[in-house]
Amino acid sequence: MKRYEQFAAEIAELIRSGVLAPNEKVPSVRTASRTYQLSPSTVFQAYYLLESRGLIQARPRSGYFVCAQANRALAEPGMSARTAESTPVDVSELVFSVLGSIKDPDTVPLGSAFPSPDLFPLARLARSMGKSLQQLPAKTILADITTGNAQLRRQIALRYRVNGVMHSPDELVITNGALEALNLCMQVVTKPGDLVAIETPTFYAALQILERLQLTAVEIPVHPRDGIHVQALEDSLQRLPIKACWLMSSFHNPLGASISDEKKQQLYELLYRYQVPLIEDDVYAELYFGKTPPKPVKHFDRAGLVMHCSSFSKQLAPGYRIGWVSAGRYAEQIHRLKLMTTISPSVPAQCALADYLQQGGYDRHLRKLRETLEYQQQIMLAAIARYFPANTRVTRPHGGYFLWVELPEQVDSLQLFSMALAQGISIAPGPIFSATRRYRHCIRLNYGYPWSDAMEGVMATLGKLISSLL
Amino acid sequence: MKRYEQFAAEIAELIRSGVLAPNEKVPSVRTASRTYQLSPSTVFQAYYLLESRGLIQARPRSGYFVCAQANRALAEPGMSARTAESTPVDVSELVFSVLGSIKDPDTVPLGSAFPSPDLFPLARLARSMGKSLQQLPAKTILADITTGNAQLRRQIALRYRVNGVMHSPDELVITNGALEALNLCMQVVTKPGDLVAIETPTFYAALQILERLQLTAVEIPVHPRDGIHVQALEDSLQRLPIKACWLMSSFHNPLGASISDEKKQQLYELLYRYQVPLIEDDVYAELYFGKTPPKPVKHFDRAGLVMHCSSFSKQLAPGYRIGWVSAGRYAEQIHRLKLMTTISPSVPAQCALADYLQQGGYDRHLRKLRETLEYQQQIMLAAIARYFPANTRVTRPHGGYFLWVELPEQVDSLQLFSMALAQGISIAPGPIFSATRRYRHCIRLNYGYPWSDAMEGVMATLGKLISSLL
């Protein structure tokens, strides 16, 4: 992110948070330039950008003012509703028919599960790959197939330690992305017919895992800010023989919700009391906008009951397919199951990541990525406020790259999906995030792609399509 | 392989096949040098090597002669016996306890499933990796996650075409090595409790798949030369509701057996008649010692009933974890199941292989690899004849890198495994290749590691350990 974009993001945040009210004058170029120690041209560029985004406007001979609608406060969605006690899952066909219909690679990927690959240090990773492969002893390749690359395991363990999670290196199993980790975890703690507590809405891949393994979902409500409803989970644990719990503790997909540290500990104690293993999907953990990384539930785990799954796919190396699980007491079973099914993720990819992590550019990259995503979130929120109906509700997550948008009740998001796709735009329709096909009027939007005038047009188009459905 | 080693291999073959009989004089250095257009020093080096291998010996003032025991013709094993009609599989614990006990990386890997990684063009692949990653558009990485790398798919399809198999590119699913392919195939055509026809002995990973998916094995006898007993398979198909058949059609692991083209067609017609899908594990197909590659059963498939699985792990790029299945009518289901479980193998690894295949060094590499393996087989057969008991039986496969050794009945291969491991040598004991824990007196030896004086000592040690068990 360039300096003027950073500055624009700061002003946007002041507007969003109401520090700069609608119709209020923004600092003059001279004042801003002095206060923020920026060149006047940088300030000009930033204001020009904010103007093109509809956040401020120039008034002749008076300077720039916050637009009347700039922080039009769209409401946030509330807690999701309770559902039937438990429900078999049959959503895969819908997920595939939705995702499989996005065939044109030039579709604007607002429905994508990944941020823009241009945000990642791919050239730097390629150099790490070249270097580490040239140095790799042939013998090590075969050894790494069974155990995972030792250097990579050490680097991952180090990051856990920095975040206050101590675990034995033996707990760590390197997998083909987080999705393989989640699949393996679920398989070792359940058998067909078992009940599994999940959030609603939830990541569709979790639903597909349940469906594939013939598990029955117990859907627990989630608040878009605070995450899973712990009391509702407790009620279900009391009444039902739940065998596992699957959830996203930070920057939940699709809601963006994050559980507070205090509530994470409560949650752990609750699961510990019932001895129900937790599969913690934490792939967005590094994409926090605050000052400190969120703690995982794994942080509170003293009995090896939490399987903490993550990967490098969403913040560093998409396509490398390297994930892992810190699997507590289930590590050995998971390791064996992996040896029986895929054996190992690519050894070269592991080596490249180990080398990159060792070189120390990772934290710098992450800081920049977080800044960019936070900025893009502001811009997209402003665009939604401008173009979507007034009674739209939208989340304001503190990390990740998804917004969850509740449209007016009449809007059918599957219909909207088809109409948008015909215009070259993908969105993620609500029903793919639910075992009971709820959230018909909701969509998930990805703000992980760089903003541009074209994107502005895309949001305007989406707004028009939504209006046409009212 | 150096020129003198090649020449030594030719002479070894003449001895093995009996063209040069025991006690017969081998061509003088001068004659050989003239006949084969080699320098005398090359011939000397070759003869010195053959002498150190115990195939020929110098007689003072008379030249070199074939040793009396040089081609001591050890018998070949016969057809494996029939077993119970069907049997649940419970072999995983044994497999893990055996393979998991090999912890020291310096163990001589006669029990390994891979040939020596030094036989692969790893530096060349590393260059392909560096080059292709530098050129890869960021956008392509995300696209390749869903569909597999287009260039790699094209290269694999081309090799099928060269081998006379025509299939639509849509039939091809790129997987995490062949093992993921086999797992996916088995999952889409069976449900728990189903009967599956497999060979006996068979690759332990196939047994583990059956165990994991709660399938019941119907073990079909295999001849060490000709492969599966088609009549026995037909008997089972007639009597039992078999839902799938899993086999290795060429250079079977562990037997080295290959089914003739004629029998492959019979086999296909038989399965077609019963509409039983075939999972054809063909990972050693490129390691043939003859002039032409063996045809897969897939060659005869006109109904999309054969799922042909292979990979680059055994002949080009171990650790890259790139395999595939040409899956006929099951392709779409397999593709979806993969998207739900691991999504995709590493995109960089796919790109590197695509680049390497396109550069055209693959066939040259394979020719050299085949020569080396064939040579090493001769040397190991000679060592077995020298050091193992006279009533040992051993296979003579026409490809791959495994020998299957039937030791005298009294020998317990699990005990031998432990004793050998204590001496720093691994072997693969027979019972891990059987759902019914048969083959107690058999072992599988890997001749995929370069021969050396140390290896000669290893074989002598094994021979002594075996004798001690008689």
Side-chain angles (χ1 to χ4, degrees):
Chain A
M1 188 152 55
K2 301 217 175 78
R3 191 62 195 93
Y4 79 92
E5 289 177 318
Q6 271 174 11
F7 179 59
E10 287 168 38
I11 298 293
E13 173 58 22
L14 294 178
I15 295 171
R16 195 197 59 76
S17 60
V19 174
L20 282 173
N23 297 315
E24 190 174 338
K25 190 173 187 307
V26 299
S28 73
V29 172
R30 208 171 51 173
T31 309
S33 154
R34 213 172 41 223
T35 313
Y36 295 91
Q37 303 200 299
L38 297 168
S39 72
S41 80
T42 301
V43 177
F44 262 124
Q45 275 185 289
Y47 285 2
Y48 184 74
L49 183 66
L50 291 165
E51 191 176 24
S52 77
R53 301 281 177 261
L55 291 176
I56 64 177
Q57 62 188 37
R59 294 189 190 159
R61 283 178 307 280
S62 314
Y64 282 100
F65 289 78
V66 177
C67 290
Q69 300 229 322
N71 81 337
R72 202 187 67 182
L74 288 181
E76 288 180 64
M79 176 83 75
S80 58
R82 296 197 184 214
T83 62
E85 187 130 295
S86 71
T87 173
V89 188
D90 174 22
V91 72
S92 224
E93 200 53 49
L94 175 66
V95 171
F96 281 122
S97 91
V98 166
L99 302 183
S101 64
I102 310 169
K103 295 217 188 293
D104 182 349
D106 291 326
T107 302
V108 182
L110 297 185
S112 171
F114 288 92
S116 166
D118 291 314
L119 296 177
F120 300 118
L122 297 177
R124 181 64 193 72
L125 283 169
R127 283 203 300 283
S128 275
M129 177 75 94
K131 189 181 128 206
S132 54
L133 280 192
Q134 294 291 352
Q135 295 169 349
L136 186 69
K139 206 173 172 181
T140 308
I141 294 190
L142 291 192
D144 284 359
I145 292 178
T146 319
T147 58
N149 180 271
Q151 212 47 255
L152 180 65
R153 293 170 60 93
R154 212 176 60 82
Q155 292 289 340
I156 294 173
L158 261 173
R159 291 195 77 81
Y160 270 105
R161 201 157 304 177
V162 168
N163 291 337
V165 179
M166 308 299 273
H167 64 180
S168 142
D170 295 342
E171 280 189 45
L172 199 66
V173 183
I174 308 283
T175 57
N176 256 282
L179 189 64
E180 182 180 34
L182 299 171
N183 269 279
L184 295 173
C185 292
M186 196 63 92
Q187 276 171 83
V188 302
V189 296
T190 62
K191 50 182 196 319
D194 280 352
L195 298 184
V196 175
I198 58 169
E199 296 155 303
T200 181
T202 192
F203 177 37
Y204 47 77
L207 295 171
Q208 290 182 305
I209 293 176
L210 265 60
E211 181 172 341
R212 185 174 76 77
L213 300 175
Q214 297 172 49
L215 302 168
T216 300
V218 178
E219 293 184 312
I220 312 294
V222 185
H223 191 279
R225 277 188 177 265
D226 316 327
I228 196 161
H229 192 315
V230 175
Q231 185 57 53
L233 176 62
E234 182 158 11
D235 294 349
S236 294
L237 287 170
Q238 261 170 13
R239 281 196 325 277
L240 301 167
I242 289 171
K243 287 297 189 296
C245 176
W246 185 98
L247 58 74
M248 301 188 83
S249 47
S250 298
F251 320 124
H252 177 274
N253 175 5
L255 284 184
S258 287
I259 309 177
S260 69
D261 285 357
E262 197 191 336
K263 208 167 118 182
K264 276 175 182 157
Q265 184 156 18
Q266 275 174 28
L267 175 66
Y268 176 73
E269 298 301 338
L270 173 63
L271 292 170
Y272 179 78
R273 213 156 56 239
Y274 286 89
Q275 283 293 303
V276 168
L278 173 64
I279 302 168
E280 184 177 21
D281 183 351
D282 207 12
V283 291
Y284 306 106
E286 298 281 14
L287 301 179
Y288 56 90
F289 298 160
K291 294 223 182 317
T292 50
K295 284 193 176 71
V297 178
K298 180 76 182 166
H299 176 86
F300 302 100
D301 184 16
R302 59 183 185 279
L305 203 61
V306 178
M307 289 162 272
H308 182 258
C309 304
S310 195
S311 85
F312 294 108
S313 300
K314 307 298 169 63
Q315 77 279 24
L316 177 64
Y320 278 60
R321 307 297 310 130
I322 302 298
W324 67 86
V325 51
S326 173
R329 62 171 84 154
Y330 308 99
E332 177 63 21
Q333 272 172 283
I334 288 173
H335 178 62
R336 286 183 169 198
L337 188 55
K338 190 187 72 155
L339 287 180
M340 288 196 278
T341 47
T342 63
I343 307 183
S344 160
S346 168
V347 172
Q350 293 185 56
C351 295
L353 288 171
D355 182 84
Y356 175 84
L357 293 175
Q358 208 144 16
Q359 297 312 309
Y362 188 37
D363 283 308
R364 202 166 51 243
H365 157 68
L366 285 175
R367 275 194 298 275
K368 213 175 111 196
L369 179 61
R370 288 177 201 127
E371 258 181 26
T372 305
L373 292 177
E374 187 172 10
Y375 171 67
Q376 289 174 187
Q377 185 194 96
Q378 297 301 327
I379 305 286
M380 188 177 268
L381 280 170
I384 291 172
R386 254 194 319 289
Y387 300 117
F388 285 25
N391 52 347
T392 297
R393 289 165 178 266
V394 60
T395 54
R396 282 161 184 74
H398 298 290
Y401 47 89
F402 293 129
L403 292 179
W404 179 251
V405 186
E406 275 187 26
L407 299 167
E409 291 273 353
Q410 312 93 297
V411 179
D412 176 346
S413 65
L414 289 170
Q415 197 183 348
L416 180 63
F417 170 82
S418 301
M419 290 162 69
L421 197 59
Q423 308 261 355
I425 305 165
S426 79
I427 58 172
I432 65 176
F433 299 97
S434 156
T436 36
R437 306 209 178 185
R438 294 195 295 158
Y439 313 113
R440 190 113 191 150
H441 61 301
C442 299
I443 59 176
R444 187 196 69 186
L445 295 180
N446 178 331
Y447 56 82
Y449 279 74
W451 206 256
S452 64
D453 290 343
M455 198 66 104
E456 193 76 17
V458 162
M459 294 300 289
T461 303
L462 263 188
K464 270 185 222 138
L465 292 175
I466 293 164
S467 299
S468 78
L469 290 172
L470 293 177
Chain B
M1 189 152 56
K2 302 218 175 77
R3 191 60 196 94
Y4 79 92
E5 290 176 318
Q6 271 175 9
F7 179 58
E10 286 169 40
I11 298 294
E13 172 59 23
L14 293 178
I15 294 170
R16 196 197 59 76
S17 60
V19 174
L20 282 173
N23 297 315
E24 191 174 335
K25 190 172 188 308
V26 299
S28 71
V29 172
R30 208 169 56 176
T31 310
S33 151
R34 212 171 43 225
T35 315
Y36 294 92
Q37 302 199 300
L38 298 167
S39 73
S41 79
T42 301
V43 178
F44 261 123
Q45 276 185 289
Y47 284 4
Y48 183 74
L49 183 65
L50 291 166
E51 191 176 22
S52 76
R53 302 280 176 261
L55 291 176
I56 63 176
Q57 63 188 38
R59 294 188 191 162
R61 282 178 307 279
S62 313
Y64 283 98
F65 289 78
V66 177
C67 290
Q69 300 231 322
N71 81 337
R72 202 187 65 181
L74 288 180
E76 288 180 63
M79 177 82 75
S80 59
R82 296 195 186 218
T83 62
E85 188 132 293
S86 71
T87 172
V89 187
D90 174 20
V91 73
S92 225
E93 201 52 49
L94 174 67
V95 171
F96 281 123
S97 89
V98 166
L99 302 183
S101 63
I102 309 170
K103 295 219 188 293
D104 182 350
D106 291 326
T107 303
V108 182
L110 297 185
S112 171
F114 289 92
S116 166
D118 292 313
L119 296 177
F120 301 118
L122 298 176
R124 182 64 193 72
L125 282 168
R127 283 202 301 282
S128 275
M129 177 74 92
K131 190 181 130 207
S132 54
L133 280 192
Q134 293 293 351
Q135 295 169 348
L136 186 70
K139 205 173 171 179
T140 308
I141 294 189
L142 291 191
D144 284 359
I145 292 178
T146 319
T147 58
N149 180 272
Q151 212 45 258
L152 180 64
R153 294 169 61 92
R154 212 176 59 82
Q155 291 289 339
I156 295 173
L158 261 174
R159 291 196 76 83
Y160 270 105
R161 201 157 302 176
V162 168
N163 291 337
V165 179
M166 307 299 271
H167 64 177
S168 143
D170 295 341
E171 280 189 45
L172 199 65
V173 182
I174 309 282
T175 58
N176 257 283
L179 189 64
E180 182 180 35
L182 299 171
N183 270 278
L184 294 173
C185 292
M186 196 63 91
Q187 277 172 83
V188 303
V189 295
T190 62
K191 51 181 194 320
D194 280 353
L195 297 184
V196 174
I198 58 169
E199 296 155 304
T200 181
T202 192
F203 177 37
Y204 48 77
L207 295 171
Q208 290 182 304
I209 294 176
L210 265 59
E211 180 172 340
R212 185 173 76 77
L213 301 175
Q214 298 173 49
L215 303 168
T216 301
V218 177
E219 293 185 311
I220 311 294
V222 184
H223 191 280
R225 277 188 178 267
D226 316 327
I228 196 162
H229 192 314
V230 175
Q231 184 57 53
L233 176 62
E234 182 158 12
D235 293 348
S236 295
L237 287 170
Q238 261 169 13
R239 280 198 325 276
L240 302 167
I242 289 171
K243 288 297 188 297
C245 176
W246 185 97
L247 58 74
M248 303 189 82
S249 47
S250 298
F251 320 123
H252 178 275
N253 174 5
L255 284 184
S258 287
I259 309 177
S260 68
D261 284 357
E262 197 190 336
K263 208 167 116 182
K264 277 175 181 155
Q265 183 155 18
Q266 275 174 29
L267 175 65
Y268 176 74
E269 298 302 338
L270 173 62
L271 292 170
Y272 180 78
R273 212 155 59 239
Y274 286 88
Q275 283 294 301
V276 168
L278 173 64
I279 302 169
E280 183 178 21
D281 183 351
D282 207 13
V283 291
Y284 307 106
E286 298 281 15
L287 301 179
Y288 56 90
F289 299 161
K291 293 223 180 322
T292 50
K295 283 192 177 70
V297 178
K298 181 76 182 165
H299 177 87
F300 302 101
D301 183 16
R302 59 183 184 279
L305 204 61
V306 178
M307 290 162 272
H308 182 258
C309 304
S310 194
S311 86
F312 294 108
S313 301
K314 307 298 170 64
Q315 77 279 21
L316 178 62
Y320 279 60
R321 307 296 310 132
I322 303 297
W324 67 86
V325 52
S326 172
R329 61 171 84 153
Y330 307 100
E332 178 63 20
Q333 273 173 280
I334 288 173
H335 179 61
R336 287 184 168 199
L337 188 55
K338 189 187 72 153
L339 287 180
M340 288 196 278
T341 47
T342 63
I343 307 183
S344 160
S346 168
V347 172
Q350 292 184 56
C351 295
L353 288 172
D355 182 84
Y356 176 84
L357 293 175
Q358 207 144 16
Q359 298 312 310
Y362 188 38
D363 283 308
R364 201 165 54 244
H365 156 69
L366 286 175
R367 276 194 298 276
K368 212 175 110 196
L369 179 60
R370 287 177 200 128
E371 256 180 29
T372 305
L373 292 177
E374 187 172 10
Y375 170 66
Q376 290 174 186
Q377 185 193 94
Q378 296 303 327
I379 303 286
M380 189 177 268
L381 280 170
I384 291 172
R386 250 190 328 285
Y387 299 117
F388 285 25
N391 52 344
T392 297
R393 289 165 178 267
V394 60
T395 54
R396 283 164 184 70
H398 297 291
Y401 47 89
F402 294 129
L403 292 179
W404 179 251
V405 186
E406 275 186 25
L407 298 167
E409 291 273 355
Q410 312 94 296
V411 179
D412 176 346
S413 65
L414 289 169
Q415 197 182 348
L416 180 63
F417 169 82
S418 301
M419 291 162 70
L421 198 58
Q423 308 260 354
I425 306 164
S426 79
I427 59 172
I432 65 176
F433 299 96
S434 157
T436 37
R437 307 210 177 184
R438 295 195 293 158
Y439 314 113
R440 189 111 193 151
H441 62 302
C442 299
I443 59 177
R444 187 196 70 185
L445 295 181
N446 178 330
Y447 56 82
Y449 279 74
W451 205 256
S452 64
D453 290 343
M455 197 67 103
E456 193 76 19
V458 161
M459 293 300 288
T461 303
L462 265 188
K464 270 184 222 139
L465 292 176
I466 293 164
S467 299
S468 78
L469 290 172
L470 293 176

